[in-house]
Amino acid sequence: MKLKKLLINGLFGHFNHVIKFKDENITIVTAPNGYGKTICLKVIDSIFNRKLSFLCDLQFSSIELFTSNGTLEIIKNNDEERSRSITLGHSDESEIHEYSREFELSTRKSQSTHVIDMHVPFLHRVGPREWEDHRTNEVYTFEEVIENFAEYLPNEFTSKNYPQWFIDFSNSLNAHFVQDQRLIQRKADRTSRGRKQSYEDTIEKYAAELAELIRDSGFQSSHVSQQLDTTFPVRLLANDRNFRSKDASVLKDELQALQNKRAELSSFNLLSSEQHLPAMRMLDDIKDEDRKVLTLYVEDTYAKLKPYENLYKKIELFSRILNSKRLSFKKIKIEAEKGFHFETEEKRPLKLTQLSSGEQHQVVLLYELIFKTKENVLVLIDEPEISLHVAWQKEFLKDLEEIIEIQNMPVVIATHSPQIIDGKWELTVDLEGGLS
C-alpha cells in the first residue's frame, strides 16, 4: 500500500490539515508547536496498528486517508451521548462500522485477565493488571496489552470485532512509530519479594539486543555448516551429471571474493580473523581434479556466510555513520558479547551511559531506524532533532537516505528544525496554513 494524502478536519476545533505524501519515500511535516504535527503521525499509527481508542479520545470532526488501496474515512461522533465513538467507512465498501471507546472499556472490565496468561506465551504477570514481556523486559498495563498484542487474543476478548475490510486495509501497511522520548524504557526488576517496575537506559537495552542478533546469526551459520559438512563427502563422491565444476579462473575470483567477505565480517568480530583462506598465490595452479572440491567449497562457504549478510550491511552502516566524526573523540566497537560499546581515542572503554544525552539520542535513533524497522514498513519519526547538535541535524536526511537504500521504507517525519530539512524544502508539508 502507498499513502497519497491525509486530511484531518476540525483538529482541536481549530485546524484543517492536508498532508500530501511525497514520492521520494520521505515526507517532512513542519509546523509551529501546538499545531498537531505529532498528532498527525499518531493518527496514521493508530489506523495501521488498530489503536482506535486514541481516535475516540481525539478532538476532530473527520479524517480521510487516501491510499493506493482506496480511501478510509473516519467521522467523529460529537454528540454528547456518543462523544467517544467514531464511524469508519471505506471508498470500496458500502458497510460502515461504529467503534465506541465506552463499549470497549465496559466489555474489557467483564473479561477475565487470565485470558492474557493463556494466549500470549511471552508475557508474564507482574501485577493484578500488569505483564512483563520476557523478550524485552518491558512492562505493559492491561490496556497496553490489548493495544499491542490483540492479534494473539480471541476476538471476543478484544471486543473490537472490526469488519474484515478494515482488518484487510490496516494489514496492508505496517507502521513503526519512533517516539520523541527515546532514552528511557520501562522494565520489570526481579527481587526477593517479587517484581517491581523500574526503568532502564535504552542504549544498554539496544546493545544487548545487537549482541543477541549477532549470536542468532552465528547459530544459523553453525546450523547450515553442520548440515553441509555432514553431507560434503557424499556430495563430493556422487556422480551427479547435472553438477558442473567451475573453471579455474572463476574459482580463483570467487575464492578471492570470499576472502574479502570474511575480512569484512571479521572486521566487526562477526567471524574470527583466523578463519581466512590461505594465501591466494597457492591457488595460481588449480588442477582439474581439484575443481570439483573447490566448487563445492565455494558454494558451501557462501551458504555458511549468508546468515550474516543482512546483519553485516546494517552493522557497517551503523558503525560508519557513528564513526564519521559524530562522536567526539570516541569510536564504536562491535562484538558478539556486548553488541556495541565505545572506546576513547586512547582505547579506554566507556560505559554506554557515559555518552552525553545528545550522543545517546544519536545512537538510539540510528539503532532504531537501522535494526528495529523492516523493509517496506512505514516509519513515523517524531522530532528527530531532540538533543542533537546542529551539525548532526544537518546530516540526518543524508543518513536516512542511506538507511532507506538498505531498508526500502517510506518515512514521515514531524519536525520544526530547519537543520533537519537542510534545504530540501521540496520534501516538506507545512501545516501552518491549516488554521480554520
Side-chain angles (χ1 to χ4, degrees), residues 222-234:
S222 296
H223 180 68
V224 172
S225 297
Q226 186 177 19
Q227 290 182 316
L228 293 174
D229 292 349
T230 301
T231 61
F232 186 84
V234 176

Side-chain angles (χ1 to χ4, degrees), residues 384-433:
E385 66 269 20
I386 290 177
S387 291
L388 297 189
H389 187 277
V390 170
W392 296 346
Q393 293 181 38
K394 290 176 69 66
E395 294 291 323
F396 178 75
L397 278 189
K398 176 186 172 184
D399 297 340
L400 186 59
E401 287 168 349
E402 286 197 73
I403 295 169
I404 289 173
E405 281 185 20
I406 66 173
Q407 298 286 65
N408 189 28
M409 60 192 189
V411 178
V412 182
I413 302 167
T415 184
H416 44 60
S417 167
Q419 286 76 29
I420 289 289
I421 298 166
D422 195 34
K424 296 193 175 182
W425 296 100
E426 70 277 7
L427 300 179
T428 64
V429 176
D430 190 358
L431 301 184
E432 190 169 5

Side-chain angles (χ1 to χ4, degrees), residues 181-400:
Q181 200 302 102
R182 294 186 270 270
L183 296 191
I184 300 292
Q185 295 190 16
R186 285 192 305 170
K187 62 179 287 191
D189 280 344
R190 295 169 177 82
T191 68
S192 58
R193 297 183 178 180
R195 303 184 190 185
K196 65 178 182 179
Q197 182 177 307
S198 64
Y199 297 89
E200 66 179 328
D201 293 289
T202 306
I203 193 169
E204 293 183 339
K205 180 176 185 292
Y206 285 174
E209 282 186 10
L210 182 56
E212 188 66 27
L213 289 174
I214 295 172
R215 285 194 292 270
D216 285 346
S217 295
F219 291 147
Q220 293 175 41
S221 178
S222 296
H223 180 68
V224 172
S225 297
Q226 186 177 19
Q227 290 182 316
L228 293 174
D229 292 349
T230 301
T231 61
F232 186 84
V234 176
R235 290 182 286 124
L236 179 62
L237 299 174
N239 186 18
D240 185 355
R241 295 182 179 180
N242 294 321
F243 182 85
R244 294 288 181 270
S245 297
K246 299 177 185 289
D247 292 337
S249 59
V250 173
L251 282 169
K252 187 174 181 180
D253 289 343
E254 293 200 1
L255 287 165
Q256 181 63 64
L258 278 175
Q259 182 83 312
N260 296 338
K261 183 176 287 291
R262 279 176 153 165
E264 290 172 348
L265 294 174
S266 64
S267 69
F268 292 113
N269 299 306
L270 301 182
L271 288 181
S272 168
S273 58
E274 298 174 357
Q275 293 179 311
H276 288 191
L277 290 168
M280 294 306 295
R281 63 178 179 273
M282 297 177 64
L283 303 172
D284 287 339
D285 185 23
I286 298 176
K287 299 180 174 59
D288 283 345
E289 59 266 29
D290 296 329
R291 288 193 297 121
K292 181 175 183 180
V293 67
L294 287 174
T295 299
L296 286 172
Y297 173 81
V298 165
E299 292 175 350
D300 285 6
T301 304
Y302 274 119
K304 293 174 184 179
L305 298 182
K306 189 171 179 59
Y308 292 107
E309 188 173 321
N310 189 46
L311 181 61
Y312 169 78
K313 290 179 183 177
K314 294 181 178 183
I315 287 176
E316 190 279 331
L317 180 58
F318 183 57
S319 299
R320 176 160 49 82
I321 290 175
L322 289 174
N323 283 336
S324 61
K325 300 181 181 178
R326 300 300 174 84
L327 305 177
S328 303
F329 315 111
K330 307 173 187 73
K331 292 289 183 183
I332 189 170
K333 299 291 182 181
I334 308 293
E335 62 179 65
E337 281 190 14
K338 296 180 180 179
F340 62 81
H341 62 103
F342 293 87
E343 292 180 351
T344 66
E345 289 182 334
E346 295 79 26
K347 306 294 184 183
R348 286 192 300 106
L350 289 171
K351 290 182 179 181
L352 294 173
T353 52
Q354 286 182 306
L355 272 63
S356 69
S357 63
E359 290 172 328
Q360 289 187 51
H361 267 284
Q362 177 87 319
V363 173
V364 165
L365 180 57
L366 282 173
Y367 183 92
E368 188 150 359
L369 291 175
I370 294 173
F371 293 97
K372 297 185 77 68
T373 59
K374 297 179 181 178
E375 188 172 356
N376 296 321
V377 169
L378 172 65
V379 179
L380 308 166
I381 309 174
D382 189 22
E383 298 190 3
E385 66 269 20
I386 290 177
S387 291
L388 297 189
H389 187 277
V390 170
W392 296 346
Q393 293 181 38
K394 290 176 69 66
E395 294 291 323
F396 178 75
L397 278 189
K398 176 186 172 184
D399 297 340
L400 186 59

Side-chain angles (χ1 to χ4, degrees), residues 60-115:
F60 70 98
S61 56
S62 67
I63 294 172
E64 289 181 273
L65 181 60
F66 297 81
T67 77
S68 57
N69 288 20
T71 302
L72 177 70
E73 184 176 18
I74 304 173
I75 305 296
K76 185 68 177 291
N77 301 317
N78 286 317
D79 59 86
E80 278 190 30
E81 292 184 0
R82 301 161 64 211
S83 62
R84 300 185 75 189
S85 68
I86 56 175
T87 301
L88 305 173
H90 190 272
S91 58
D92 296 336
E93 296 287 338
S94 57
E95 176 190 3
I96 62 173
H97 176 73
E98 182 169 328
Y99 174 87
S100 169
R101 174 72 162 159
E102 269 72 20
F103 175 75
E104 177 188 330
L105 291 175
S106 63
T107 306
R108 286 181 184 175
K109 289 178 182 178
S110 67
Q111 295 283 359
S112 169
T113 58
H114 292 293
V115 176

